[in-house]
Amino acid sequence: MGSTPDEFYRIAKLPPYVFAAVNEMKARLRAAQYDVVDFGMGNPDGATPRAVVSKLVEAARIPRNHRYSVSRGIPNLRHEIVRRYARNHGVELDPETEAIVTIGAKDALAHMMFAVVGPGDLVVTPAPCYPIHQYGVIMAEGEAVPLPASDPAEYLNRLEDCYKQGARQPKMILLSYPHNPTTTCVDLDFFKQVVSIALKHGTMILHDFAYADLGFGGYKPPSILEVDGAKEVAVEIFSVTKSYNMAGWRIGFCLGNQRMIKALARIKSYLDYGAFQPIQIASIIALRDCEEEVVKIRAVYEKRRDLLVDGLNSAGWPLEKPQATMFVWAPIPEAMRGMGSLEFSKLLLEKALVAVSPGIGFGPAGEGFVRFALIENHHRTRQALRSIKEFLRDHKPAPVAAVV
């Protein structure tokens, strides 16, 4: 008899996928011909820049590009990401020892964990968090220590406490700003303090910089590698996914500390031969020639943010506009907060035909919130806002009768 999945050692460590309940309900509604407006998964809906697609087609017609590539990424792509960091962040990197190409950001994060985290190692993680930030640690046999990502000052206080009060000290600090799901942003001084702590205690830092280019209203998210001395302890993950509408292309980068990059390269040499070479070649065009497209993509998300947040406020769902990312992190309206984020998300889907991600799916610290992804166009967003307004009107608390 075969084993059931629950009997497998690592699978048993992973909880049921919280988002599955909403996804299954959404699929049933669509199968029944209901028109669901979907703000759930952060899957960019825009087209990849034409120049990138054209280069892919050209490169794919060349037979030598059909062979195995190299697990560290082709040299020209590594050189191009290093040039971009110099232009955009004033950071100098060695493309041979401080840069590696990965099959998306998730690949970089999960395999870095396998490379440098051992059984029982403490890894400070954001709370709430994108699931791989916590479960990448757990699958690597580490122990996640969640700290409040949405309050940078409290985060720093709690981080200091990890060293002062804990019998064991963290081996790694895992950060991600601008933050998914809370949209919290930090300035360079925050990173300076984190790097100072890590240097003092010899702790590694991994910073997931997925939303590097999606800052609004003049805010430019800083790279942790801009901090003097950061490369002594830190690596940063960047990808083409959000900046260039290239989610399905699966090209990411890990940059910074030579020792950590070398460890990741060693792991990857056993696991893969790199991404399909025409995709890597096309990604060079994105990094080199498509910065104007990044500006346009950012503007699209900012306009969608404004439309959604202004509309929710007008509908009686008070929110502040996020400073960055492609998300809106919304506290559940007070009248329905007691039902929890999963039940609220299911009710919103059933009654308003609007799909969002329940906050509990990002860990216990996400309870009480839902996340909107800015992936629907203006027409669809307005459609959703009309439905949400009716939904909120129908679910207002009943007035309390006066006592005579």
Side-chain angles (χ1 to χ4, degrees):
M1 292 178 64
S3 298
T4 63
D6 288 345
E7 294 172 336
F8 296 138
Y9 175 67
R10 285 192 174 82
I11 299 302
K13 291 175 176 287
L14 303 177
Y17 193 58
V18 173
F19 303 118
V22 174
N23 290 340
E24 289 168 7
M25 187 174 174
K26 182 171 61 182
R28 287 198 303 272
L29 286 167
R30 284 179 166 164
Q33 303 303 307
Y34 287 97
D35 183 16
V36 175
V37 182
D38 190 1
F39 297 105
M41 184 178 178
N43 191 2
D45 65 316
T48 300
R50 286 184 181 180
V52 180
V53 177
S54 296
K55 193 65 177 179
L56 172 68
V57 172
E58 176 190 320
R61 289 193 173 116
I62 301 172
R64 69 173 180 271
N65 288 330
H66 302 170
R67 304 174 70 186
Y68 290 129
S69 187
V70 287
S71 62
R72 293 172 59 234
I74 59 176
N76 285 349
L77 182 53
R78 283 186 277 115
H79 279 269
E80 207 57 57
I81 188 62
V82 163
R83 291 189 190 102
R84 189 182 198 271
Y85 259 71
R87 286 195 312 270
N88 290 17
H89 303 290
V91 173
E92 297 297 327
L93 294 160
D94 183 341
E96 295 302 320
T97 60
E98 296 176 333
I100 188 170
V101 181
T102 60
I103 306 175
K106 273 190 175 184
D107 168 58
L109 194 142
H111 288 152
M112 180 62 80
M113 291 296 166
F114 277 111
V116 304
V117 172
D121 285 342
L122 301 186
V123 178
V124 175
T125 57
C129 68
Y130 186 55
I132 191 62
H133 290 163
Q134 179 178 357
Y135 293 105
V137 175
I138 291 170
M139 285 188 284
E141 303 293 307
E143 181 180 333
V145 181
L147 296 188
S150 59
D151 187 339
E154 177 65 13
Y155 180 96
L156 289 171
N157 289 335
R158 296 274 295 276
L159 182 60
E160 291 274 15
D161 289 344
C162 288
Y163 294 95
K164 293 175 182 176
Q165 300 174 5
R168 295 181 295 151
Q169 294 192 349
K171 185 165 185 180
M172 176 183 281
I173 300 166
L174 197 165
L175 298 162
S176 182
Y177 289 104
H179 183 244
N180 175 16
T182 71
T183 75
T184 302
C185 296
V186 296
D187 56 20
L188 192 59
D189 186 61
F190 173 87
F191 284 142
K192 287 178 180 177
Q193 295 183 67
V194 174
V195 169
S196 176
I197 292 169
L199 286 167
K200 179 180 177 181
H201 296 283
T203 307
M204 294 178 288
I205 300 172
L206 191 159
H207 180 229
D208 185 351
F209 202 25
Y211 303 97
D213 297 301
L214 297 187
F216 309 132
Y219 171 68
K220 182 181 178 182
S223 161
I224 198 170
L225 298 179
E226 294 173 33
V227 177
D228 289 341
K231 287 197 294 182
E232 295 179 35
V233 289
V235 293
E236 184 163 82
I237 295 170
F238 174 77
S239 85
V240 297
T241 293
K242 307 306 191 303
S243 300
Y244 301 95
N245 281 338
M246 294 174 66
W249 297 61
R250 309 315 302 140
I251 292 291
F253 306 90
C254 192
L255 309 151
N257 180 263
Q258 291 186 14
R259 184 165 169 260
M260 295 171 71
I261 296 293
K262 185 177 180 180
L264 179 57
R266 182 77 177 272
I267 284 283
K268 283 178 63 61
S269 71
Y270 282 90
L271 294 174
D272 67 69
Y273 287 110
F276 184 43
Q277 191 150 294
I279 293 177
Q280 295 190 58
I281 293 168
S283 296
I284 293 170
I285 302 302
L287 297 174
R288 191 181 70 201
D289 298 335
C290 294
E291 290 308 295
E292 290 184 3
E293 295 298 321
V294 175
V295 174
K296 293 176 185 176
I297 290 165
R298 178 166 57 243
V300 167
Y301 285 124
E302 187 166 8
K303 289 176 182 176
R304 289 179 178 182
R305 175 204 66 168
D306 292 345
L307 176 62
L308 179 63
V309 174
D310 289 344
L312 290 172
N313 276 297
S314 296
W317 191 341
L319 299 172
E320 292 185 6
K321 290 180 180 178
Q323 200 174 8
T325 78
M326 56 180 290
F327 305 110
V328 170
W329 184 239
I332 297 171
E334 192 171 351
M336 289 169 277
R337 202 162 293 168
M339 69 173 60
S341 60
L342 179 57
E343 291 307 311
F344 173 79
S345 298
K346 289 161 69 176
L347 185 66
L348 185 66
L349 182 54
E350 177 189 358
K351 301 298 184 181
L353 297 177
V354 173
V356 296
S357 294
I360 191 64
F362 303 97
E367 187 53 279
F369 293 80
V370 294
R371 192 195 72 178
F372 290 81
L374 301 172
I375 55 170
E376 291 280 15
N377 63 33
H378 281 220
H379 170 74
R380 301 276 292 165
T381 299
R382 290 190 183 97
Q383 175 184 329
L385 287 168
R386 289 192 294 270
S387 298
I388 290 171
K389 187 173 184 178
E390 293 178 11
F391 169 80
L392 294 175
R393 184 190 62 209
D394 294 342
H395 289 82
K396 281 184 179 179
V400 179
V403 178
V404 179

